[in-house]
Coordinates of all heavy atoms in Angstrom, one line a residue:
P136 N -81.0 -12.2 40.5 CA -80.8 -12.9 39.2 C -79.4 -12.6 38.6 O -78.7 -13.5 38.1 CB -81.9 -12.4 38.4 CG -83.0 -12.0 39.3 CD -82.2 -11.4 40.4
Y137 N -78.9 -11.4 38.7 CA -77.7 -10.9 38.1 C -76.6 -11.6 38.9 O -75.5 -12.0 38.2 CB -77.5 -9.4 38.1 CG -78.6 -8.8 37.3 CD1 -79.7 -8.1 37.9 CD2 -78.5 -8.7 35.9 CE1 -80.7 -7.6 37.1 CE2 -79.4 -8.1 35.1 CZ -80.5 -7.5 35.7 OH -81.5 -6.9 34.9
L138 N -76.6 -11.7 40.2 CA -75.6 -12.3 41.0 C -75.6 -13.8 40.7 O -74.5 -14.4 40.6 CB -75.9 -12.1 42.5 CG -75.7 -10.7 43.0 CD1 -76.1 -10.6 44.4 CD2 -74.2 -10.3 42.8
A139 N -76.7 -14.4 40.3 CA -76.7 -15.8 40.0 C -76.0 -16.2 38.8 O -75.4 -17.2 38.6 CB -78.2 -16.3 39.9
I140 N -76.1 -15.3 37.8 CA -75.4 -15.5 36.5 C -74.0 -15.0 36.5 O -73.4 -15.1 35.4 CB -76.3 -15.0 35.3 CG1 -76.3 -13.4 35.4 CG2 -77.7 -15.5 35.3 CD1 -77.0 -12.8 34.2
L141 N -73.6 -14.3 37.5 CA -72.3 -13.6 37.6 C -71.2 -14.7 37.3 O -70.3 -14.4 36.5 CB -72.1 -12.9 38.8 CG -70.8 -12.1 38.9 CD1 -70.7 -11.1 37.7 CD2 -70.6 -11.4 40.2
P142 N -71.2 -15.8 38.0 CA -70.1 -16.8 37.8 C -70.0 -17.2 36.3 O -68.9 -17.3 35.7 CB -70.4 -17.9 38.7 CG -71.2 -17.3 39.8 CD -72.0 -16.2 39.1
G143 N -71.1 -17.5 35.7 CA -71.2 -17.9 34.3 C -70.7 -16.9 33.4 O -70.0 -17.1 32.4
G144 N -71.1 -15.6 33.7 CA -70.6 -14.5 32.9 C -69.2 -14.3 33.0 O -68.6 -13.9 32.0
I145 N -68.6 -14.4 34.1 CA -67.1 -14.2 34.3 C -66.5 -15.3 33.5 O -65.4 -15.1 32.8 CB -66.7 -14.3 35.8 CG1 -67.3 -13.0 36.5 CG2 -65.3 -14.3 35.9 CD1 -67.1 -13.0 38.0
W146 N -67.0 -16.6 33.6 CA -66.4 -17.7 32.9 C -66.4 -17.5 31.4 O -65.5 -17.7 30.6 CB -67.1 -19.0 33.3 CG -66.6 -20.2 32.6 CD1 -66.9 -20.7 31.4 CD2 -65.6 -21.2 33.2 NE1 -66.2 -21.9 31.2 CE2 -65.4 -22.2 32.2 CE3 -64.9 -21.2 34.3 CZ2 -64.5 -23.2 32.4 CZ3 -64.0 -22.2 34.6 CH2 -63.9 -23.3 33.6
L147 N -67.6 -17.0 30.9 CA -67.7 -16.8 29.5 C -66.8 -15.7 29.0 O -66.2 -15.7 28.0 CB -69.2 -16.4 29.2 CG -69.7 -16.2 27.8 CD1 -69.5 -17.4 27.0 CD2 -71.0 -15.6 27.7
A148 N -66.7 -14.6 29.8 CA -65.8 -13.5 29.5 C -64.3 -13.9 29.4 O -63.6 -13.5 28.5 CB -66.1 -12.3 30.4
A149 N -64.0 -14.7 30.4 CA -62.6 -15.1 30.5 C -62.1 -16.0 29.5 O -61.0 -16.0 28.9 CB -62.2 -15.6 31.9
F150 N -63.0 -17.0 29.1 CA -62.6 -18.2 28.2 C -63.2 -18.1 26.9 O -63.0 -18.9 26.0 CB -62.9 -19.4 28.9 CG -62.1 -19.6 30.2 CD1 -62.7 -19.5 31.4 CD2 -60.8 -20.1 30.1 CE1 -61.9 -19.7 32.6 CE2 -60.0 -20.3 31.2 CZ -60.6 -20.1 32.5
F151 N -64.1 -17.1 26.6 CA -64.6 -17.0 25.2 C -64.5 -15.6 24.7 O -63.9 -15.4 23.6 CB -66.1 -17.4 25.2 CG -66.7 -17.2 23.8 CD1 -66.4 -18.1 22.8 CD2 -67.6 -16.2 23.6 CE1 -67.0 -17.9 21.6 CE2 -68.2 -16.0 22.3 CZ -67.9 -16.9 21.4
I152 N -65.0 -14.5 25.3 CA -65.0 -13.2 24.8 C -63.6 -12.7 24.8 O -63.2 -12.1 23.7 CB -65.8 -12.3 25.7 CG1 -67.3 -12.8 25.7 CG2 -65.8 -10.9 25.2 CD1 -68.3 -12.0 26.5
L153 N -62.7 -12.8 25.8 CA -61.4 -12.3 25.8 C -60.6 -13.0 24.8 O -59.9 -12.3 24.0 CB -60.8 -12.4 27.2 CG -59.4 -11.9 27.4 CD1 -59.3 -10.4 27.0 CD2 -58.9 -12.1 28.8
P154 N -60.5 -14.4 24.7 CA -59.7 -15.0 23.6 C -60.3 -14.6 22.3 O -59.4 -14.5 21.3 CB -60.0 -16.5 23.9 CG -60.3 -16.6 25.4 CD -61.1 -15.4 25.7
L155 N -61.5 -14.3 22.1 CA -62.0 -13.9 20.8 C -61.5 -12.6 20.3 O -61.1 -12.4 19.3 CB -63.5 -13.9 20.8 CG -64.3 -13.5 19.5 CD1 -63.9 -14.6 18.4 CD2 -65.8 -13.6 19.7
F156 N -61.5 -11.7 21.3 CA -60.9 -10.3 21.0 C -59.4 -10.4 20.7 O -58.8 -9.8 19.8 CB -61.1 -9.4 22.2 CG -62.4 -8.8 22.1 CD1 -63.5 -9.1 23.0 CD2 -62.7 -7.7 21.1 CE1 -64.7 -8.5 22.9 CE2 -64.0 -7.1 21.1 CZ -65.0 -7.5 22.0
I157 N -58.7 -11.3 21.5 CA -57.2 -11.6 21.2 C -57.1 -12.2 19.8 O -56.1 -11.7 19.0 CB -56.7 -12.5 22.2 CG1 -56.7 -11.8 23.6 CG2 -55.2 -12.8 21.9 CD1 -56.2 -12.7 24.8
M158 N -57.9 -13.1 19.4 CA -57.8 -13.7 18.1 C -58.1 -12.7 17.0 O -57.4 -12.7 15.9 CB -58.7 -14.9 18.0 CG -58.5 -15.7 16.7 SD -59.3 -17.3 16.8 CE -61.1 -16.7 16.9
L159 N -59.1 -11.8 17.2 CA -59.4 -10.7 16.3 C -58.2 -9.8 16.1 O -57.9 -9.4 15.0 CB -60.7 -9.9 16.7 CG -62.0 -10.6 16.5 CD1 -63.1 -9.9 17.3 CD2 -62.3 -10.7 15.0
S160 N -57.6 -9.4 17.3 CA -56.4 -8.6 17.1 C -55.2 -9.2 16.4 O -54.5 -8.6 15.5 CB -55.9 -8.2 18.5 OG -54.8 -7.4 18.5
L161 N -55.1 -10.5 16.7 CA -53.9 -11.3 16.0 C -54.2 -11.4 14.5 O -53.2 -11.4 13.7 CB -53.8 -12.7 16.6 CG -53.0 -12.8 17.9 CD1 -53.1 -14.3 18.4 CD2 -51.5 -12.5 17.6
S162 N -55.4 -11.4 14.1 CA -55.7 -11.7 12.7 C -55.3 -10.6 11.8 O -55.3 -10.7 10.6 CB -57.2 -11.9 12.5 OG -58.0 -10.8 12.8
T163 N -55.1 -9.3 12.4 CA -54.8 -8.2 11.5 C -53.4 -7.7 11.8 O -52.9 -6.6 11.5 CB -55.7 -7.0 11.8 OG1 -55.7 -6.7 13.2 CG2 -57.1 -7.3 11.3
Q164 N -52.5 -8.6 12.4 CA -51.1 -8.3 12.7 C -50.2 -8.9 11.7 O -50.7 -9.7 10.8 CB -50.7 -8.9 14.1 CG -51.4 -8.2 15.3 CD -51.0 -8.7 16.6 OE1 -49.9 -9.4 16.7 NE2 -51.7 -8.4 17.7
T165 N -48.9 -8.4 11.7 CA -47.9 -8.9 10.8 C -46.7 -9.2 11.6 O -46.5 -8.6 12.7 CB -47.6 -7.9 9.6 OG1 -47.3 -6.7 10.2 CG2 -48.8 -7.8 8.6
G166 N -45.8 -10.1 11.1 CA -44.6 -10.4 11.7 C -44.4 -11.8 11.8 O -45.0 -12.6 11.1
N167 N -43.5 -12.2 12.7 CA -43.2 -13.7 12.8 C -42.7 -13.9 14.3 O -42.6 -13.0 15.0 CB -42.1 -14.1 11.9 CG -40.8 -13.3 12.0 OD1 -40.1 -13.3 13.1 ND2 -40.5 -12.6 10.9
L168 N -42.6 -15.2 14.6 CA -42.3 -15.5 15.9 C -41.0 -15.0 16.5 O -40.7 -14.7 17.6 CB -42.3 -17.0 16.1 CG -42.5 -17.6 17.5 CD1 -43.7 -17.1 18.2 CD2 -42.4 -19.1 17.5
I169 N -40.0 -14.8 15.5 CA -38.7 -14.4 16.0 C -38.6 -12.9 16.2 O -38.1 -12.4 17.2 CB -37.6 -14.8 14.8 CG1 -37.6 -16.3 14.7 CG2 -36.2 -14.2 15.2 CD1 -36.7 -16.8 13.5
T170 N -39.1 -12.1 15.2 CA -39.0 -10.6 15.4 C -40.2 -10.1 16.2 O -40.3 -8.9 16.5 CB -39.0 -10.0 14.0 OG1 -40.2 -10.3 13.3 CG2 -37.7 -10.4 13.2
G171 N -41.3 -10.9 16.3 CA -42.4 -10.5 17.0 C -43.6 -10.1 16.1 O -43.3 -9.9 14.9
F172 N -44.7 -10.0 16.7 CA -45.9 -9.6 15.8 C -46.3 -8.2 16.2 O -46.3 -7.8 17.4 CB -47.1 -10.6 16.0 CG -46.8 -12.0 15.7 CD1 -46.4 -12.9 16.7 CD2 -46.9 -12.3 14.3 CE1 -46.1 -14.2 16.3 CE2 -46.6 -13.6 14.0 CZ -46.3 -14.6 15.0

């Protein structure tokens, strides 16, 4: 059963969980596009 859900889990991690953590990290940063965040 775990192998069966593995592709879906990888997809969810790559396109939902990881972007969500990146967005959470960005939300507490400061700076701008020129000097960097």
Side-chain angles (χ1 to χ4, degrees):
Y137 298 100
L138 291 175
I140 65 173
L141 183 61
I145 294 175
W146 181 275
L147 183 65
F150 295 101
F151 177 74
I152 298 177
L153 181 60
L155 182 60
F156 275 107
I157 293 174
M158 189 167 65
L159 283 169
S160 176
L161 276 172
S162 66
T163 56
Q164 294 182 14
T165 54
N167 54 65
L168 196 62
I169 298 176
T170 60
F172 298 99

